[in-house]
Amino acid sequence: MYSPPTTPTDEHRALAAQQEASAALGVTVEGRRLWGYQGRTLGQKAHHPDHGACWLRLISAPAEQAKGKLWEGTKDAAATFAGVRKPVLYGIHDGPERDGIAYRAELTAFIDSPACAPEPVLAGELELPDTWWKSLRTDLETIAVTPTERVAVRQQWIDRALPQYAGVSAPPHIEWATAHGDCHFANLTTAGPTLLDFEGFGLAPVGYDPALLYAYSLLTPKTAAHIRAEFPILDSPAGHTALLVVAADLLQSASRGDHPELTGPLHALVASVTR
C-alpha cells in the first residue's frame, strides 16, 4: 500500500514535480522520501528560510480528477478547524500537468513527533497517556460540531455497501456529523496528538472517526478495548451504525486486496453489533 509508484516513469515524473514545487515554494527537501497510498502522494522534510523545518507533501491525480473533496481537503481544513491540533499550512503550489497527471504541493509545518503506527492497521499494542486520549477526544468533538458542506460518506454508498459487504440492511435513519474521515494511528502522532491528512474530511455517520480508529485496531485487542472505553458512543445505536459503515468500507477495501487480515475480525465486529 505505502510504496513508490508502480513504474519508474511515474516515479521520475513525481520527483520532477516535487523539484519544481520545491523551487516555487522556496524550500529545499532533505531526508527520507515517504510515499503514500500506491504512490499517489510523496512527503519529505523540507527547510524554508522563514518557516524553518517544514513538510512538503505532493499529491497527484489524473488531470480530470484534480478537483473536489480530496484535492481541496488540506486547504479547506486549514480554513475550517482553527482550534484543532494539526500542521499549519504555509502554502500550496499547483504545478503543470505531466503526461495527463496533475500535481499539487502542500507546504506545512514539520511535526517533530512520529506517527503512532507506520500503516493504518495497528500491528502492535500502544500505551498512550490519559492526556493523549483527552486531547484526541476534544479534537474529534470539535471537528464533529463544525459545520461543513463537504461529504465524507454518502448515503447512497451506505445503502449499497452495507448489504453487499457487511450483509446487513442500511439503517433507515442515520445521524450525521463532521468527521476527519481517515482517523487511524498512522495519522496520529505520539505527542499531542497531532491529527494528520485532513484531505477526506466531511459529513459521516455520528461516531465515524472513533469507529474507524477502532476497526483499524482490531488486531490489537488491548488497544481496541481502550478505544471502546474512551469513546462510549461506540456502544450506542449511533455508534453501532458507524461501526457497520466502517466495517463495510474496510471489507470493500479488503475485497480489492487491501488489509485482507482484517476480513475475519470485521465480520466478527458486524456480528457483534447486529445480534
Side-chain angles (χ1 to χ4, degrees):
M1 273 190 56
Y2 289 80
S3 59
T6 54
T7 70
T9 299
D10 290 339
E11 182 173 354
H12 293 157
R13 187 173 55 234
L15 293 175
Q18 185 203 48
Q19 184 177 20
E20 194 270 343
S22 300
L25 291 167
V27 298
T28 55
V29 294
E30 59 189 32
R32 181 186 174 194
R33 296 177 184 135
L34 295 180
W35 296 94
Y37 181 75
Q38 297 180 350
R40 189 179 69 84
T41 65
L42 169 60
Q44 195 168 7
K45 189 176 181 180
H47 179 82
H48 188 276
D50 296 325
H51 302 304
C54 298
W55 186 255
L56 183 66
R57 182 172 182 261
L58 186 76
I59 60 175
S60 63
E64 66 275 10
Q65 299 175 21
K67 57 185 177 181
K69 184 184 75 172
L70 294 179
W71 201 252
E72 302 293 339
T74 299
K75 183 175 71 173
D76 290 349
T80 302
F81 303 115
V84 173
R85 193 189 296 259
K86 64 185 187 308
V88 174
L89 177 64
Y90 292 134
I92 288 176
H93 173 73
D94 290 318
E97 294 177 18
R98 299 170 185 268
D99 299 328
I101 303 297
Y103 292 92
R104 167 171 283 192
E106 300 163 343
L107 185 67
T108 60
F110 180 75
I111 305 301
D112 193 15
S113 172
C116 293
E119 294 206 12
V121 177
L122 189 63
E125 301 285 4
L126 294 176
E127 295 289 341
L128 298 164
D130 290 344
T131 53
W132 190 97
W133 290 102
K134 181 179 180 180
S135 177
L136 178 61
R137 287 197 309 271
T138 298
D139 279 349
L140 293 185
E141 289 166 3
T142 299
I143 291 169
V145 299
T146 302
T148 185
E149 296 181 357
R150 289 167 55 97
V151 177
V153 183
R154 297 189 177 278
Q155 179 73 61
Q156 298 91 327
W157 178 87
I158 293 175
D159 293 342
R160 181 180 70 254
L162 261 66
Q164 182 175 355
Y165 295 103
V168 297
S169 300
H173 303 291
I174 296 178
E175 299 177 58
W176 300 86
T178 303
H180 173 277
D182 199 18
C183 187
H184 52 67
F185 284 109
N187 278 340
L188 289 162
T189 64
T190 56
T194 297
L195 267 166
L196 310 174
D197 291 355
F198 273 78
E199 64 179 17
F201 85 88
L203 292 173
V206 166
Y208 184 87
D209 282 336
L212 189 61
L213 188 67
Y214 176 78
Y216 271 129
S217 304
L218 288 173
L219 302 184
T220 53
K222 183 178 178 180
T223 302
H226 198 120
I227 295 167
R228 203 83 179 233
E230 291 287 346
F231 296 97
I233 191 172
L234 295 179
D235 291 312
S236 71
H240 286 180
T241 294
L243 288 168
L244 290 174
V245 170
V246 162
D249 188 10
L250 296 186
L251 285 168
Q252 181 183 42
S253 295
S255 73
R256 298 168 177 167
D258 294 334
H259 310 309
E261 69 275 18
L262 284 179
T263 300
L266 287 168
H267 282 299
L269 174 60
V270 170
S272 72
V273 299
T274 55
R275 65 187 174 207

